[in-house]
Amino acid sequence: MRPLRFAGVLASVVTAAMLATTNGAAADSKFQCEPGETYIMNVMVSAHPYWVPVYQGFKQAAAAMGCKTVFSGTPDYDITKQIASFEQDLVKQPAGILLHPMQSDPFIDPINRAIESGVDVVTFAADSPKSKRTAYVTSDNLAEAKFAAEEIVKQIGDSAEYAVLENPGQSNHDLRVTALISYMEQHYPNMKLVGRQATNQDSNAAYRATAAILQANPKLGALWIPEAGSAEGAVTAVLEAKAKVLIMHADITPTTLEHIKAGNIHMALSPNQGMQGFMGFMATFLAAHPDMFDPFNDYKVSGYNPMQIPFIDNGFAVITKENADSFDLNAYMKDRDPS
């Protein structure tokens, strides 16, 4: 797991909030919500299992501070529908929104309008860096790509063929792919990229793309995938072809977890989802309460929110056959309120 970056202020906030509660002074603490104060988490493909631990972390932080939460978004992989759901959330006048923007640029204006209306926005897992969002919480995608590249070379050597699947337009997925390719070119020039296909988190598209890559490149040694949905289709194609291909992917789903246990997928690099949600809530709460401290800068004359946090690294976990049981979503959610 990797350390948090730019998160010292949040660690202090969490500690202060816990001390206030412990001392029986919660009612007088600034780290408490007003009655009815609500925070929303908005995502695309809302039924995806990735969001479940993230929202649990979001809720845990909110509960510690007496705040209300709402899970929102769209069940579709559709930028227009997600923006519409985001704008519907604004009608509810929440204190803040923790947002996973499907694409960066289309969300610039909606985020800016939200902030201008008094609703603070923090992004997580994917970003809209040109917007006025207050903070960005994610795992270090460059570190993930470097780790994946080094592990591939460790397992199959530094003069082999590899391929990647990708999901163009989503910032964290783009970075996971481009950074790995760049790292290979710089450090292992004898590694040959023989396939690069956009599968857009579609397992069926990934199945077809992987089958085509395997047919054209029978010596394929490894496959890197920036998300778990495409990995589900890719592993099926590899198994059907009876090919010996090292598969690594980012994120995790119950299906890919079972393939890791079976040895069909080498490993997954998964963001610490609970920490992502917990720190995401804390960053959103701070964005909504910028009057909690007076920093030594020019925010009063420049007019920006002083609670700017450029990047919070929530860390990532390496999931292998040996520790896979720790990432069983059903076990994690047993006796927990999913709503």
Side-chain angles (χ1 to χ4, degrees), residues 11 61 79 105 114 129-130 132 156 183 257 265-266:
I79 184 64
D105 290 348
K130 296 178 182 178
K132 295 179 181 178
I156 68 174
Y183 189 87
L257 186 67
I265 293 176
H266 178 59

Side-chain angles (χ1 to χ4, degrees), residues 33-34 57 68-69 81 94 100 109 158-159 195 207 211 213 224 238-239 242-244 269 272 279 285 289 326 334:
C33 281
E34 297 292 333
K68 293 185 177 181
T69 65
K81 290 183 179 179
H100 175 88
D109 288 339
D158 63 2
S159 300
Y207 170 83
I213 291 172
W224 168 240
V238 169
L239 290 172
K242 297 181 179 179
K244 293 184 178 180
L269 307 182
N272 290 325
M279 301 307 281
F285 178 88
H289 295 269
S326 297
K334 186 178 180 181

Side-chain angles (χ1 to χ4, degrees), residues 231-253:
E232 293 181 8
V235 69
T236 301
V238 169
L239 290 172
E240 286 187 2
K242 297 181 179 179
K244 293 184 178 180
V245 177
L246 184 89
I247 300 175
M248 289 184 64
H249 69 87
D251 301 340
I252 194 71
T253 64

